[in-house]
Amino acid sequence: MNQFKIALYIRCSTEEQASLANPEGTIKNQEQRLRLEFEMKNRNQTYGSLVGIFIDDGISAKDTKRPAFQKMMRAIELGEVNMVMVTEYSRLSRNMRDFAGMWELFKTYKCSLISLRENFDTSSAAGEMMLYNMANLAQYERRMTSERVSLSRIDRAQRGLFNGGVIALGYKSSINAGYLEIDEEEAKVIKLVFEMFLKIGSQLKTAKWLNANNISTPRLIKGSGHTRVGHFTVG
């Protein structure tokens, strides 16, 4: 048997980085598990050589726009890799359309896949069928997660809670976690902006009037760490 040229693909999403509930999902643990599997396969016979470790840290698998993933795919096309090992299928893809394209490329360049969790054997028809089933399940799980997040944000908004991100001018964080409260000083500027717009009737002319009268806002944008341009614009 020809030796496999093996690549380890490792991915960890931003949510997993922040979660303590899934220690097996971390970059370090994924690499350790894959290396142990690689060593075990080479213990009794020369199974293959490790030619690369491709890591996408803090990146979702919702699409293929991942630097390390793209680099690995190029290595497959160049014949540098003909076996990919992952801890679980969802590290590679959570999108059925992307999976179909990826798997066609794998088959074109005779690249096999090992997934530790699902124990795939992609050299058989049954194994390939199971792989497609897992791709469907991974896409379903991603869409369900997206729906849960959206519903949670809508529910929080309906309850008057802040959903995070940039804090709008005129507001500040409340001592009550999850809420915003009016920033009285900034609110004066906001009220003036509205009054002048209602009086002038033009966003551009309102911005010019505010700048001409030296009306200013705090440079720091709360909740982002970025700064404002220093004068009013139509935006």
Side-chain angles (χ1 to χ4, degrees):
M1 183 183 71
N2 293 328
Q3 290 188 38
F4 284 111
K5 293 173 282 187
I6 301 171
L8 310 184
Y9 180 72
I10 300 167
R11 183 187 63 79
C12 182
S13 67
T14 305
E15 291 79 6
E16 287 174 311
Q17 286 178 329
S19 174
L20 299 177
N22 183 23
E24 291 300 312
T26 63
I27 295 295
K28 182 178 179 181
N29 283 335
Q30 285 182 60
E31 182 174 349
Q32 183 179 17
R33 291 169 63 197
L34 290 171
R35 282 185 178 277
L36 286 173
E37 180 70 14
F38 169 77
E39 291 169 5
M40 185 182 73
K41 286 186 176 298
N42 278 289
R43 194 165 294 160
N44 298 322
Q45 60 179 345
T46 305
Y47 184 79
S49 57
L50 183 60
V51 298
I53 300 175
F54 301 86
I55 301 173
D56 282 314
D57 196 0
I59 301 178
S60 169
K62 65 181 181 180
D63 55 41
T64 60
K65 295 177 182 177
R66 293 167 264 154
F69 178 85
Q70 292 295 334
K71 187 176 180 181
M72 181 182 73
M73 297 300 277
R74 286 194 294 273
I76 293 171
E77 291 175 345
L78 293 170
E80 297 169 356
V81 170
N82 62 7
M83 167 71 78
V84 174
M85 293 178 64
V86 292
T87 55
E88 55 187 274
Y89 163 75
S90 62
R91 298 296 163 194
L92 276 175
S93 175
R94 285 178 175 268
N95 181 296
M96 195 61 196
R97 183 179 61 184
D98 291 340
F99 160 74
M102 177 197 75
W103 188 237
E104 282 303 313
L105 186 142
F106 269 51
K107 290 196 294 184
T108 298
Y109 293 96
K110 295 179 172 57
C111 182
S112 301
L113 171 66
I114 289 178
S115 174
L116 304 190
R117 182 179 179 182
E118 293 87 5
N119 193 25
F120 283 138
D121 175 10
T122 60
S123 63
S124 68
E128 186 172 354
M129 179 192 72
M130 287 298 296
L131 187 59
Y132 270 92
N133 287 339
M134 286 305 303
N136 266 318
L137 288 172
Q139 177 172 273
Y140 169 76
E141 181 183 342
R142 183 180 69 83
R143 292 185 64 178
M144 286 295 292
T145 300
S146 177
E147 287 179 9
R148 284 196 296 268
V149 170
S150 295
L151 289 172
S152 175
R153 291 176 67 87
I154 292 171
D155 179 65
R156 285 178 60 85
Q158 290 175 337
R159 289 158 52 203
L161 292 167
F162 181 50
N163 270 313
V166 174
I167 298 176
L169 188 66
Y171 291 90
K172 61 183 178 180
S173 296
S174 172
I175 57 173
N176 298 316
Y179 288 89
L180 295 179
E181 59 185 46
I182 293 173
D183 184 315
E184 296 299 339
E185 289 303 311
E186 292 183 8
K188 294 176 183 176
V189 177
I190 294 296
K191 290 175 182 177
L192 180 61
V193 170
F194 273 84
E195 288 170 3
M196 295 311 300
F197 173 73
L198 291 172
K199 183 176 180 180
I200 298 172
S202 163
Q203 290 177 318
L204 179 59
K205 290 181 179 178
T206 300
K208 287 181 176 179
W209 184 92
L210 292 165
N211 293 329
N213 285 273
N214 297 317
I215 307 300
S216 62
T217 59
R219 289 280 289 168
L220 182 66
I221 300 175
K222 288 175 286 190
S224 73
H226 298 145
T227 56
R228 294 185 174 87
V229 294
H231 60 272
F232 281 95
T233 66
V234 171

